[in-house]
Amino acid sequence: MADDAALSRAQSEETAEQHPHEPSEITYAEHLHPARPRTLRHRARAKSPVVRRSVAKDGAATGENPAYVSWLLSQSMLADANEIARQFSGQGTMWQNPFADPGPRQAVESASVWFTAYPISLITRPGESFLCALGDEALWNAFCTIGIEAIHTGPVKRAGGIAGWQYTSSVDGHFDRIGTEIDPAFGTEAEFRAMCGMATWSGGTIIDDIVPGHTGKGADFRLAEMKYADYPGIYHMVEIEEEDWNLLPEVPPGRDSVNLDVPTEEALEKAGYIIGRLQRVIFYAPGVKETNWSATKPVVGVDGVARRWVYLHYFKDGQPSINWLDPSFAGMRLVIGDAVHSLADLGSGALRLDANGFLGVEKSAEGMPAWSEGHPLSSAANHLIASMVRKLGGFTFQELNLTIDDIRATAEAGPDLSYDFVNRPAYHHALVTGDTEFLRLTQRTSLELGVDPAGLVHALQNHDELTYELVHWATGHRDDVYPFGGEELTGEQLAERVRADLTAALTGEKAPYNRVFTTNGIACTTATVIAATLGITSLEAITEDDVPEIMRVHLLLAMYNALQPGVFALSGWDLTGMLTLPAEEVAELIAEGDTRWIHRAAHDLMGAAPHAVKSASGMPRGRSLYGSLPEQLEDERSFARQLQAILAVRSRYGIAVARQVDIPDVSHRGMLVLVHELDPGEDGGRRTHVTVLNFAAEPVTGTVRSEHLVPGSRVTDMFTDKEVGVVDDLRAFVVELEPHQGHSLLLEVPAEPR
């Protein structure tokens, strides 16, 4: 073997002498983000998986019982984080990738079309797990045919809580994580790794989740309540002295905590325990959640002392907030360990950061709410997380509703990509009004403020509501004045106008199948947004004759999201054309006001169980308008086949990494025009891409005009390769559009002859 190696080296040296290496010219981006083989990018690199210990349950579930404490430690995320971190400390592999600066275009190039799954809603074969279904070769073959390059699994690690020796259910769709292990309801770690292997084999990527903002009430929280080691440092929790327990409300029987009312919050602030009122109360509900603080019942610690704690939770009381600036840095260690486990142990290639905008809280001036949003600590923590992921060869995206200014700021050092919550309600508004004025305003504002659409995830439906908080206008720029509808409106008035338009068009008597979700948005599917827009008042009234028109509008929205730079994401509810569930079928789930469950219907993506009436997790099966993917791929007129054509154009011309240069004025209010610069053609000539969409329910003949169009450019339909016009001397050309139709056009200027 030694002789063979020596011979090989000699041959290599001889070759090098005959063909000396010449340094190649590389771009700045390539210098920072050198190419990495796709097959190596997503492989698990942990030397050994995290050990899953089985600890016997014996005795009382209290801090005074060492067996119970040991059992909790065997479930602890912090304990797992400490174990996996040791495998990477001092290893050269941690220094092979650039990590300081976000690489949005590199992320988009690695995976530009995502399928966003929702574990509890996917119908699988009998006995087949969710993760096994996502690793199925037939599914990946279908995705490759359509043009889907990545799967975002959604949260699949164990979530919910622990009460005594028992696990309790998730209170927020598995975003209340309590362990690094895969939840048995969704599969096994071996199935997750097999899914990652199938994705890599197919040239794809698996995107996992971490939740830097909070956990559930699992082992780590229970150990924190018991004041075990540095576990209280994980959370924003404060021990209340026994002489002040009179300030705390009693915890009702059967509960382990109770939400504080406003007077109690003020009393504890004055007593110096907590920082008091925050900037807003997310999921506010009278008598249920009036503040962001809850008090625990007395808990006996490992030292035998009973304590009561007050803890912070931005969301539900089962989601205690993580403290990113405790001297122990226990919370930071927990989150980073979870990320390293997903990337290096399980083999995912990217991570979604959930609730990552709420990582810093600070007391403000007297009488003012505590500083809890837009805090610099959130930016610093996001930089740390995203840098660690990039060090491991992955990328991150954040799914957080932010102002455009905050998106720009986080893009400087934090996650590589951000979810596009700015334009999503705007394109829905364009659809329901037949007027793109607000959409053009949001697009232009983003571009003017320095947010590159290539750094955004443009999506159809996901697991959440149609968000219409419009935080850029309603909060950060509430007093700025904008022209809209022939008037001058403040940002706050503009947001109120748009919300009113969406609520009037998509809910109430016109569309009783959609529901308002608190102050955040509307619970609906893309198909039921379209149904309401088309004037359908009852989903039962939808017939096969209505489906082509619904599909036509659905494809228009897909074109809007896909035919611009950035990631295009869509869900199983989109691919199968799902409708919302009747409220009575999810009555228990929506009883406390979480109406989002009506749009999370179970769906059978691959026709795996045609007769199943619910998913393995118990979600009722909804009505699909388009059918399964195998059925659709047999029909050239199907949604999936027409989507395939859109994505083929997107891929062929590199639209995902193009540069958006203009959102020009339009000659008809229903039109939207997006102008993008493409890489030069093979002959070196200038190439421009123009997306032209008609959001109106009427035919449109209009003029496309932009200073970025070059007179004499040939205008070619990208779908048919037919020339359809020439740019005139006024830098314009004419288009004709049917109702809810879109065009993808290539404008080429031949290179000057040398």
Side-chain angles (χ1 to χ4, degrees), residues 681 683 685-688 710 712-716 746-750:
D683 64 353
R686 178 175 174 179
R687 301 194 308 166
T688 302
V710 178
S713 298
R714 298 189 305 271
V715 182
T716 303
L746 177 66
L747 280 62
E748 293 181 285
V749 179

Side-chain angles (χ1 to χ4, degrees), residues 91 110 156 158 176 196 220 250 252 413 457 528 593 597 601 687 718:
Q91 299 298 310
S110 66
V156 294
R158 191 183 287 276
D176 45 351
C196 291
D220 296 277
E250 293 294 323
V457 178
T528 62
W597 292 105
R687 301 194 308 166
M718 289 176 163

Side-chain angles (χ1 to χ4, degrees), residues 691-713:
T691 297
V692 187
L693 306 173
N694 179 16
F695 282 84
E698 62 188 31
V700 169
T701 299
T703 301
V704 173
R705 186 185 182 282
S706 170
E707 291 301 313
H708 292 269
L709 307 186
V710 178
S713 298

Side-chain angles (χ1 to χ4, degrees), residues 469-492:
E469 291 173 296
L470 301 167
V471 293
H472 181 83
W473 288 270
T475 60
H477 295 263
R478 61 184 300 167
D479 297 322
D480 293 354
V481 176
Y482 299 90
F484 183 76
E487 303 177 64
E488 296 287 320
L489 302 179
T490 65
E492 184 177 27

Side-chain angles (χ1 to χ4, degrees), residues 236 275 277 314 360-365 368-372 375-376:
H236 285 288
I275 57 177
R277 179 168 59 102
Y314 284 97
V361 288
E362 182 176 335
K363 190 174 180 64
S364 296
M368 297 295 291
W371 187 8
S372 56
H375 195 283

